[in-house]
Amino acid sequence: METILIVDDEKNYLLVLEALLAPEGYEIITTDKAEKALNIIKDSDLDLVITDMKMPGMSGMELLEATKRINPDLPVIMMTAYGTIEMAVEAMKKRAYDYITKPFQNEELKLTVKKALENYRLIKENRLLRKALSDRFRYGSIVGKSKPMLRIYDLIQKVADSKASILISGPSGTGKELIAKAIHFSGPRKDGPFISVNCGALTETLLESELFGHEKGAFTGAIAMKKGRFELADGGTLFLDEVGDMPPSLQVKLLRVLQEMEFERVGGTKTIKVDVRIISASNRNIKEDVAEGLFREDLFYRLHVIQIEVPPLRERRDDIPLLVKHFVDKYTKDNQNKQVELHPDVWKAFYNYSWPGNVRELENVIERAVVLSSGGIITVEDLPEELTNAQVELEAERFVPPGMPLPQALEKIEERLIRRALSECNNVQAHAAAKLGITKSLMQHKMKKYSIVI
Ligand SMILES: Nc1ncnc2c1ncn2[C@@H]1O[C@H](COP(=O)(O)OP(=O)(O)OP(=O)(O)O)[C@@H](O)[C@H]1O
Ligand SMILES: [Mg+2]
């Protein structure tokens, strides 16, 4: 049932309006003071306010303004016995839904009320829809709506309930750890521990005792028994970060533990059994490491029963707007809810930049820009130099060996740009050509020249 609040200092009007509208199936609340009305508006879930314009104390116009501050979408219909057009215009400017003049025609009033309620219903539905849409484009704290990200959400859901080992691969800052946590927290182990260990940051001996723990006196400095991460993760998930950097001797030990789910602490003899789900991550291409004999093939197959590949941000630019919004919200909250907009040139810079540091870099850029921005707008001046400086130059340095003659260097860059445009356009030549501002036939000619096969 929809609820209407009616405010008028003349009690007779309250009675008349209630008698008129209650039979239409609305719930009616009445009050003769705007101040009281305001409290009701704050505390209840209303669908419409009908208020008199001229009242002692707070006026109808003030009530309108206060209501719009509380809920800008809630419709307010103004009533006035002083049906001057100026007042009505002013109320409409202040976003009143409509106004009626006293004495009013019953049917006209009923119709205005019906339209206002219908309109509000639509606004509410839209709000829900928007919320539902935005929920679809996030998974826990992961944000993104590009095809690869939607696929990743799907995968997370599918693998969360199983115990299969997962290998998440992707360049630095793409959100691998976030995904690992999302898998853990959407599965049956969510109340168990999520323990992570960085396999690249420690020496071999330290990493071994970090993973498996050690007994008192196992080595110099082992003054007390220490549980390893495997033991701590019992009943939960162990996240092996940078697993590709694990030294070969430990790879053998890890393999055994993964097969048996049992091990001994360093310097110990007691066998410890655990129930741990393994999620690992790497920004190296482990498959290549396997081919080069740097990573054990058997371990690789153990770890990547299921593989999740996270593409670099430049290959999923569709995610940029949502991520920007997400981080702007996050950092304006940290900065006294500072309201900020982005200048169109900032968006342009974001779209054109190659984001070598991926989402982490975007997050840092936004945090910095929110702090630096003034006047409620982020401009290119608030961005770090690398985003605005000649990007081609930067890119060029990476692909052109020093000392290469200019004509060859330019060709290298041209080839690079064409390849990139193609990959960004899913190999649709016409789109890639349009992106580069050349004709499709010129594009094909260049592809032949550089032996680009798609
Ligand atoms: N899709 C995303 N939505 C929201 N935040 C993200 C997303 N991807 C990454 N981030 C944020 O970016 C930062 C880096 O993410 P994370 O640590 O998960 O990356 P990573 O792939 O593990 O990087 P590295 O290889 O350097 O360890 C974190 O602050 C994370 O919250
Ligand atoms: Mg990480």
Side-chain angles (χ1 to χ4, degrees), residues 176-177 239 241-242 360:
K176 297 185 292 295
E177 184 157 353
F239 177 55
D241 206 0
E242 308 305 346
R360 179 179 294 117

Side-chain angles (χ1 to χ4, degrees), residues 39 72 109 210 255 272 289 343 447:
N39 284 331
L109 175 84
E210 209 45 53
L255 180 66
I272 296 165
D289 289 350
H343 189 276
M447 284 170 67

Side-chain angles (χ1 to χ4, degrees), residues 174-227:
T174 45
K176 297 185 292 295
E177 184 157 353
L178 220 51
I179 293 172
K181 284 185 180 150
I183 295 171
H184 171 78
F185 287 106
S186 15
R189 293 170 176 263
K190 63 173 183 296
D191 296 324
F194 177 93
I195 303 285
S196 63
V197 54
N198 189 327
C199 306
L202 300 169
T203 63
E204 189 171 333
T205 342
L206 271 179
L207 180 59
E208 182 174 9
S209 93
E210 209 45 53
L211 283 172
F212 308 118
H214 60 72
E215 296 293 349
K216 186 176 171 179
F219 46 83
T220 334
I223 44 171
M225 183 279 276
K226 188 181 157 204
K227 285 187 180 177

